[in-house]
Amino acid sequence: MRQPLVLAAFTSLLLTGTALAEPMFNRIATFSVPLNLPADRDASKKTVAEIIAANEEGTLLAYTDAEQKALGIIDITTPATPKAAGFVPLGGESTSVTILGDKAFVAVVTSGDNFKEPAGHLATVDLKTKAVVATCDLGGQPDSVTLTKDKSKIVIAIENERDEKLNKGALPQLPAGNVTLIGIKDGAIDCASRQVIDVTGIAAVEPTDPEPEFVDVNQDGLAVVTLQENNHLVVIDTKTGQVIAHFSAGTVDLKTIDKTRDGQIKATEELKGVAREPDAVRWLDNDRFVTANEGDWKGGSRGFTIFRKDGTIEFDSASTVDHIAMRHGHYPERRSAAKGSEPEGIEVGTYGSDRLIFVGLERASMVLVYKDEGAGKAPRNLQALPGGIGPEGLLAIPQRNLFVSASETDVGDKGGARSAVTIYQRSEAPAAYPTIVSNDVDGVPLGWGALSGLAAHGSTPGRLFAITDNAYQPSRILEIDATQTPARITGAIAVTKDGKDASYDLEGIATRPGGGFWLASEGNPEAKDKPTRNILLRVTAAGAVEEEIHLPEALEAQATRFGFEGVAVTGEGADETVWLAVQREWTDDPKGKTKILSYKPATKAWGVLHYPPSAPASGAWIGLSELVFLGNDRFAVIERDNLFGAKAVKTLATFSVKGLVPAAIGSATIPTVEKTMLRDLTPDLMKTGGYGIEKVEGMALDKAGNVFVVTDNDGVDDNSGETQFLALGKIAN
């Protein structure tokens, strides 16, 4: 039997005289929700993992899948290897679930888009037989369910949500929602005991249309309910069914935030009087609860708040949640004009003597972990956890030192990641994530993301440069200190042209022997609205563009949207040669080959070699994502496909140009390099416990011979925001 963490720490103190570091969570497994679909369901269709619950032993998970109108079940007896354990059709959209014994009680909406006549029921699912064994009509559309701590009642928030397309979603839209109590008798729902609690007439925003969103119950039997659109909170005594307190969730003045969608992450703006509009809520103890202030209608304060049950505010995170997302590369800049990181989920769990708060950021796709330091004190941020896209359901399983998140976003139809359930384990091991963060500059976080290329400083080991693609504009060169763990982005160099900020789709960077950089900007001649060209840029150390170099006209005419992806440089002065990797074959390339281009600045002469990428799996493609000079006529490339997971292709390969002369543009015969496998990166990515990131984009070899690799998070657009910065050390070749 594994020692509890507190006992393990005490034992270490006795034996060594040194206390262990604070326990941390690390991701140990990711379960792809489509794996749970039965054979008669189309696995390419959207799935969802929204709200999640566990049995008392913490060995079985049940999650709601509204898209598939079902309840999914996962066996986590061995948490590092979760297994599909059942799929139960429900005949309606499942919105919430709680478990008692071997029964799951599931909120099911059956009215679909009929907002004027909302309907739903509470389904009882036998977790052994994987079947619905009872239903209880609720007379409305349920959104959240929970059990009282004594297991005598189930409490349901009946939202009767509004039609957001009607009158721009303005309230009121009747019928009104309510809070419903149902007794439990002999482990089963006693539908005849249903008690409806009226919560109209109390909120100032729109008293006739409360729209209850989320509910939680403390040890005293008090239920706290969020009325999100009304920016209001209600406390109900579940023993009597009486409303004993209610109050506005209030507003927040936000400073040092980014409120403008402009392609730049700049935490220099303000918003005043932002309504919190809380979504999820959890009790911290019998007197305090914590809310995730997602916002829905007019508000959304980008943080979380700790309230006392009388409405007194003990703590508000203000802009700090967005700041953490910015430092971790998870900030969703495209949501700046909306609600930023958008905290939606909240969970509380006691692990040993530590009461922890988990905050799920729907748009930043990250879960923040805080330690509750007690009444009247600010909670302390411990760590940030990566996971799937759009975490909503959060679940603490302290009896097993586990935590689980359920991610509702599925972008498989766009070639992206599927909805997922992520499992984390708390232990004495240090946090494995993040692998790279940014420093603050001028008192605010240096925002970043979409790292699309790496280069090493010419003389200082561990000093790197990175560029970002067109997910962010204007373009910047980021400075990285890779000697630290996690690696640190310490500064940014603006790319300028004629003294003004310049915007490119940067995909490759190399340091020039005499100082400054060569940058590769990828073009897209196929873009219908604004076609762009592949450009080689000669840039000073200060980021000023000295020259834009275009392809010869005959070669440019062959380009596709898969253009420049890496750049390297060899030689100096008259012997200087710039090399460029093209991601995939162009129209004049033989099938299965892509270009390695050469350019001599002294003579402006172009040349071409061919590179043979590996054969892709059916329906996929494989191309190049980086080019690095290793010395002695040898280069390394990143070969990657467009797939996720353990079967994906993410490799480092090398080739030599010794004895090869690049062919002139238009030549009938083009030499093909011979490649050698250097390292399979897929195991490096999979050991992080994630779903296996698709875009491995950057590689650098520093002065000491250490190899670094980085992934691209697409600017957190249809992406989990996760960036893996891999310090691989010296690799034999």
Side-chain angles (χ1 to χ4, degrees):
M1 180 177 178
R2 186 165 53 84
Q3 294 185 74
L5 293 182
V6 173
L7 177 58
F10 180 67
T11 302
S12 174
L13 182 62
L14 288 177
L15 295 176
T16 69
T18 302
L20 291 172
E22 196 156 25
M24 291 287 160
F25 287 92
N26 280 302
R27 181 176 55 191
I28 59 171
T30 298
F31 180 84
S32 182
V33 169
L35 294 176
N36 227 354
L37 295 178
D40 61 351
R41 298 266 177 144
D42 184 351
S44 69
K45 299 296 184 181
K46 280 195 173 183
T47 60
V48 169
E50 190 172 5
I51 302 301
I52 194 160
N55 61 357
E56 187 174 357
E57 296 78 17
T59 58
L60 198 70
L61 302 176
Y63 62 87
T64 59
D65 187 339
E67 286 283 347
Q68 294 286 334
K69 298 182 179 181
L71 184 74
I73 304 171
I74 307 172
D75 180 353
I76 60 165
T77 303
T78 305
T81 55
K83 299 177 181 178
F87 180 89
V88 185
L90 296 169
E93 299 176 12
S94 52
T95 61
S96 188
V97 60
T98 189
I99 293 176
L100 178 62
D102 58 5
K103 302 295 191 297
F105 302 125
V106 191
V108 181
V109 176
T110 55
S111 49
D113 292 333
N114 185 350
F115 298 97
K116 294 183 179 180
E117 298 177 311
H121 61 255
L122 188 68
T124 301
V125 174
D126 188 316
L127 295 174
K128 293 182 178 179
T129 63
K130 313 298 190 299
V132 176
V133 294
T135 60
C136 177
D137 184 72
L138 296 174
Q141 174 241 319
D143 199 44
S144 175
V145 299
T146 193
L147 289 163
T148 57
K149 293 297 185 287
D150 63 4
K151 316 298 184 187
S152 66
K153 293 180 180 179
I154 191 164
V155 188
I156 309 165
I158 305 292
E159 182 178 14
N160 291 348
E161 67 178 348
R162 72 195 195 283
D163 181 355
E164 296 186 9
K165 297 179 182 178
L166 178 64
N167 195 23
K168 296 182 179 180
L171 301 179
Q173 290 186 29
L174 302 182
N178 62 72
V179 177
T180 294
L181 305 179
I182 301 177
I184 296 175
K185 187 176 181 180
D186 298 327
I189 294 296
D190 180 11
C191 199
S193 69
R194 182 164 70 100
Q195 178 184 6
V196 176
I197 302 170
D198 183 9
V199 288
T200 62
I202 61 176
V205 175
E206 184 41 68
T208 65
D209 189 8
E211 298 209 18
E213 183 78 19
F214 204 96
V215 60
D216 193 41
V217 182
N218 68 9
Q219 292 287 350
D220 287 342
L222 299 183
V224 58
V225 184
T226 58
L227 312 184
Q228 186 173 25
E229 289 83 353
N230 281 278
N231 195 37
H232 212 79
L233 293 152
V234 183
V235 180
I236 298 169
D237 187 341
T238 62
K239 297 174 183 177
T240 65
Q242 299 298 308
V243 173
I244 63 170
H246 68 87
F247 39 85
S248 170
T251 62
V252 184
D253 291 338
L254 295 172
K255 298 181 179 180
T256 61
I257 62 166
D258 185 351
K259 69 174 184 179
T260 305
R261 177 179 172 174
D262 58 2
Q264 304 178 71
I265 301 175
K266 287 188 174 180
T268 57
E269 299 175 298
E270 297 184 5
L271 284 172
K272 294 185 179 296
V274 182
R276 290 187 172 90
E277 291 189 1
D279 185 331
V281 60
R282 293 292 185 192
W283 288 96
L284 281 166
D285 50 39
N286 284 333
D287 295 310
R288 301 175 301 142
F289 56 82
V290 57
T291 62
N293 304 326
E294 176 202 23
D296 190 294
W297 186 22
K298 295 181 177 180
S301 63
R302 307 184 179 212
F304 66 99
T305 306
I306 297 176
F307 292 87
R308 297 191 69 82
K309 65 184 179 185
D310 63 0
T312 303
I313 293 175
E314 282 201 344
F315 170 81
D316 189 274
S317 65
S319 59
T320 60
V321 164
D322 269 2
H323 287 185
I324 294 171
M326 291 175 184
R327 294 185 190 103
H328 286 68
H330 278 253
Y331 181 73
E333 198 284 325
R334 295 188 181 192
R335 297 289 300 176
S336 290
K339 293 166 282 192
S341 299
E342 209 165 308
E344 182 176 18
I346 207 86
E347 174 66 314
V348 173
T350 301
Y351 294 76
S353 60
D354 296 334
R355 183 184 292 113
L356 303 181
I357 302 168
F358 303 86
V359 184
L361 310 185
E362 180 184 13
R363 302 295 180 172
S365 295
M366 192 165 57
V367 177
L368 307 185
V369 185
Y370 293 81
K371 182 179 178 181
D372 175 28
E373 300 287 8
K377 298 179 181 178
R380 178 165 54 91
N381 180 240
L382 299 178
Q383 63 180 131
L385 303 174
I389 307 175
E392 180 165 352
L394 309 180
L395 179 65
I397 310 178
Q399 67 271 32
R400 299 191 68 197
N401 281 324
L402 299 177
F403 170 73
V404 174
S405 71
S407 300
E408 63 179 341
T409 303
D410 185 330
V411 288
D413 59 335
K414 300 178 182 179
R418 308 301 301 271
S419 57
V421 172
T422 308
I423 303 169
Y424 312 83
Q425 189 168 56
R426 192 175 191 241
S427 72
E428 296 85 359
Y433 195 83
T435 55
I436 184 168
V437 294
S438 66
N439 289 345
D440 286 8
V441 175
D442 297 327
V444 296
L446 196 169
W448 62 279
L451 302 183
S452 55
L454 284 180
H457 188 272
S459 59
T460 306
R463 184 181 176 191
L464 308 178
F465 301 96
I467 36 93
T468 62
D469 62 26
N470 62 359
Y472 303 103
Q473 300 291 350
S475 298
R476 297 178 303 166
I477 299 169
L478 302 179
E479 301 172 279
I480 299 174
D481 180 358
T483 65
Q484 300 188 53
T485 303
R488 289 269 174 183
I489 299 173
T490 58
I493 302 168
V495 177
T496 61
K497 181 181 179 183
D498 300 328
K500 298 179 181 180
D501 288 338
S503 296
Y504 300 95
D505 186 9
L506 299 181
E507 294 287 350
I509 179 172
T511 51
R512 290 161 54 194
F517 306 94
W518 287 106
L519 304 180
S521 178
E522 184 177 26
N524 182 3
E526 301 173 11
K528 294 181 180 179
D529 52 346
K530 191 177 180 181
T532 56
R533 305 171 72 182
N534 290 281
I535 307 172
L536 175 63
L537 302 164
R538 181 162 53 88
V539 179
T540 69
V545 175
E546 295 179 310
E547 184 181 9
E548 287 188 348
I549 302 165
H550 297 279
L551 291 168
E553 185 176 337
L555 180 58
E556 189 171 41
Q558 310 301 323
T560 70
R561 68 185 181 92
F562 299 99
F564 290 171
E565 278 286 329
V567 61
V569 60
T570 61
E572 295 185 58
D575 294 326
E576 184 178 17
T577 303
V578 182
W579 303 81
L580 293 145
V582 174
Q583 186 170 49
R584 293 175 62 186
E585 62 195 50
W586 285 356
T587 58
D588 61 337
D589 290 319
K591 186 175 181 180
K593 292 186 179 181
T594 188
K595 290 181 172 71
I596 302 292
L597 297 172
S598 66
Y599 174 77
K600 289 188 174 293
T603 62
K604 302 188 183 303
W606 288 87
V608 59
L609 299 171
H610 270 142
Y611 179 92
S614 301
S618 177
W621 57 259
I622 289 180
L624 304 183
S625 281
E626 184 63 288
L627 180 66
V628 177
F629 181 54
L630 302 177
N632 297 323
D633 299 313
R634 297 180 66 252
F635 293 82
V637 295
I638 292 176
E639 274 195 49
R640 72 165 183 89
D641 59 13
N642 58 332
L643 302 178
F644 297 84
K647 295 182 180 179
V649 176
K650 321 292 174 189
T651 62
L652 301 181
T654 65
F655 65 88
S656 174
V657 296
K658 187 174 183 179
L660 297 179
V661 178
I665 301 303
S667 296
T669 302
I670 298 173
T672 299
V673 303
E674 294 185 11
K675 68 177 182 180
T676 302
M677 174 71 73
L678 180 62
R679 186 182 181 107
D680 183 359
L681 296 172
T682 300
D684 295 299
L685 296 172
M686 294 306 298
K687 72 181 181 182
T688 68
Y691 49 69
I693 295 174
E694 173 204 0
K695 292 191 175 182
V696 183
E697 292 274 310
M699 174 189 173
L701 177 71
D702 77 355
K703 192 66 176 178
N706 294 307
V707 174
F708 302 90
V709 170
V710 73
T711 62
D712 179 350
N713 70 4
D714 277 338
V716 204
D717 184 24
D718 286 335
N719 190 289
S720 70
E722 179 177 343
T723 297
Q724 287 292 337
F725 182 87
L726 306 177
L728 301 178
K730 295 177 175 62
I731 301 178
N733 53 65

